[in-house]
Amino acid sequence: MLSRFDTREEYDRSEQWRRTCVEETEGLYHNWLHRAVSPEVMSRHMTVPYVSYWSFGEHLPVRQESSPGADQIGFALETIAAVVAHDFD
């Protein structure tokens, strides 16, 4: 899973890095990822974005973001937790 991944400032560079990471780890997906879902798509769902607000202190975004949107850390962590809780199914 990519974490603290900034797609806001350096979009082109982040997309290149995402492709590189997916290529390097693609084999890890084959044991559990459904064939209809590409590693690229799952990579996007399993990415924790970089949000500068959470860079300082020990605050927990999952507890403080009441209804996180798709570009927030809480949403990403809830998605990852759901995948793990469902045994990667």
Side-chain angles (χ1 to χ4, degrees):
M1 123 181 54
L2 297 171
S3 66
R4 295 177 30 161
F5 198 73
D6 188 2
T7 60
R8 296 176 187 191
E9 298 296 322
E10 298 285 345
Y11 182 78
D12 293 335
R13 290 182 67 200
S14 70
E15 286 303 301
Q16 177 58 46
W17 275 105
R18 182 185 305 280
R19 281 191 297 276
T20 299
C21 291
V22 168
E23 288 170 7
E24 293 290 326
T25 61
E26 191 170 18
L28 300 174
Y29 290 93
H30 294 297
N31 292 335
W32 62 274
L33 189 60
H34 191 278
R35 291 180 184 174
V37 180
S38 72
E40 169 70 24
V41 168
M42 186 52 75
S43 167
R44 291 185 183 283
H45 289 295
M46 302 285 286
T47 297
V48 178
Y50 173 75
V51 179
S52 61
Y53 178 82
W54 301 109
S55 297
F56 305 100
E58 296 295 326
H59 303 285
L60 298 173
V62 173
R63 297 199 53 162
Q64 293 186 346
E65 294 174 343
S66 58
S67 57
D71 63 340
Q72 293 178 302
I73 293 175
F75 183 88
L77 294 174
E78 286 176 6
T79 301
I80 292 165
V83 170
V84 171
H86 289 98
D87 294 322
F88 294 88
D89 188 17

